[in-house]
Amino acid sequence: MQPAVASLFRYPVKSMMGEELNSTYVTGRGLYGDRAFALVDGATGKIASAKNPRKWPSLFAFRAVYATPVQPDRQLGAVRITFPDGTSATSEQPEIDAALSGVLGTAVTLRSVPPALPELEEYWPDMDGLNHRDAVTNEAMPASTFFDCAQVHILTTATLAALQRLHPEGRIEVRRFRPNVVVTMPGRSDFADDEWVGKTLAIGSSVRVRVTGPCPRCVMTTLAQGDLPHDNGILRTAARHNGGHVGVYAEVITGGAVHIGDAVTVA
């Protein structure tokens, strides 16, 4: 059975929960509307990120979706943010920064214009196979974006199955890894994504992306989300068996519409 798009995800606000889509449009900047907003720490100017859960322990308790339908030929509209207590507000409300700051316990601003040289803090657990151990580092992001490394993150069901096989006591679910595109690879339970590094993928009839490298994983994969428990074993398994990589990053060559069920092939 040919690989195909199984799921599509967009995260309007960096490090908050996002929205699952039936179809979307890919632009030169990735899925239209993805990581279009972020919270900026008022004290440091750094981007707030769940990569440092010691400082930002509750970001995964927020969810962000677009308040109106996203159209590729229209400017992005307001984002509706649902707070941990179930209340919500939009990015256009004048009190949004105060409301977010009050819940997070530190002054933040919600921005749609990235700094020229954005930076975030990343906590590294004390774990074999990671670049640092029990340390917080400053990590540069691509200039003038709210992305960590690349425009598009792709993950296959084969890699998810491999992690589940190697860590059977864990709950290996897509939401732990925050991909944009999940691709079905029936019958495989290995790190199949790695085979695509350096290659061009055709997604549907028009989208073409070049896979630039593997996706190095961080503490975010271990964090509790809703009913998902905290689980250091997920990151430890990735580090032990695949160099800490889960999924791949890609840059957009040709944009266009993409839908669940679209074929994915090596172009």
Side-chain angles (χ1 to χ4, degrees):
M1 186 175 178
Q2 183 175 359
V5 175
S7 307
L8 295 164
F9 298 92
R10 176 173 59 211
Y11 309 90
V13 180
K14 182 174 180 59
S15 280
M16 291 185 184
M17 295 293 101
E19 49 192 349
E20 187 169 2
L21 309 167
N22 291 319
S23 62
T24 187
Y25 197 86
V26 177
T27 73
R29 194 186 175 278
L31 274 65
Y32 190 50
D34 187 43
R35 275 89 170 184
F37 294 79
L39 301 182
V40 177
D41 186 341
T44 66
K46 294 187 173 84
I47 306 301
S49 170
K51 286 177 178 285
N52 187 6
R54 291 180 170 181
K55 185 169 186 177
W56 309 103
S58 61
L59 280 177
F60 276 175
F62 293 80
R63 181 174 296 276
V65 302
Y66 283 98
T68 57
V70 172
Q71 302 291 337
D73 57 346
R74 298 180 189 172
Q75 186 174 355
L76 290 170
V79 167
R80 179 170 298 281
I81 297 174
T82 301
F83 289 70
D85 66 357
T87 61
S88 65
T90 73
S91 56
E92 294 180 338
Q93 293 179 225
E95 68 274 16
I96 186 65
D97 290 341
L100 289 165
S101 299
V103 176
L104 291 167
T106 189
V108 296
T109 56
L110 178 66
R111 295 189 188 176
S112 60
V113 178
L117 298 173
E119 188 178 53
L120 56 79
E121 294 175 336
E122 180 169 359
Y123 170 68
W124 299 79
D126 188 5
M127 193 178 296
D128 288 341
L130 301 183
N131 291 339
H132 307 275
R133 297 182 65 163
D134 194 24
V136 175
T137 59
N138 292 322
E139 302 292 328
M141 303 160 63
S144 301
T145 78
F146 292 132
F147 292 107
D148 287 345
C149 295
Q151 305 152 340
V152 180
H153 173 29
I154 302 172
L155 180 63
T156 69
T157 57
T159 287
L160 293 171
L163 288 171
Q164 190 66 74
R165 172 173 54 81
L166 296 165
H167 182 47
E169 64 274 26
R171 287 178 58 186
I172 309 298
E173 298 189 17
V174 168
R175 52 185 161 152
R176 287 199 185 273
F177 305 98
R178 299 173 63 82
N180 295 121
V181 183
V182 179
V183 178
T184 57
M185 298 192 78
R188 293 188 63 170
S189 61
D190 59 338
F191 294 101
D193 315 35
D194 298 344
E195 299 173 0
W196 289 340
V197 173
K199 298 179 180 178
T200 297
L201 299 182
I203 305 175
S205 60
S206 58
V207 175
R208 300 292 182 270
V209 300
R210 186 176 71 86
V211 178
T212 54
C215 179
R217 304 318 307 205
C218 66
V219 70
M220 289 175 68
T221 60
T222 73
L223 302 180
Q225 297 183 35
D227 64 332
L228 282 179
H230 184 275
D231 184 357
N232 281 337
I234 292 173
L235 183 56
R236 185 174 291 110
T237 300
R240 183 176 299 159
H241 296 280
N242 201 45
H245 300 144
V246 180
V248 291
Y249 281 129
E251 62 181 8
V252 178
I253 299 172
T254 306
V258 61
H259 310 79
I260 290 177
D262 281 352
V264 177
T265 59
V266 177

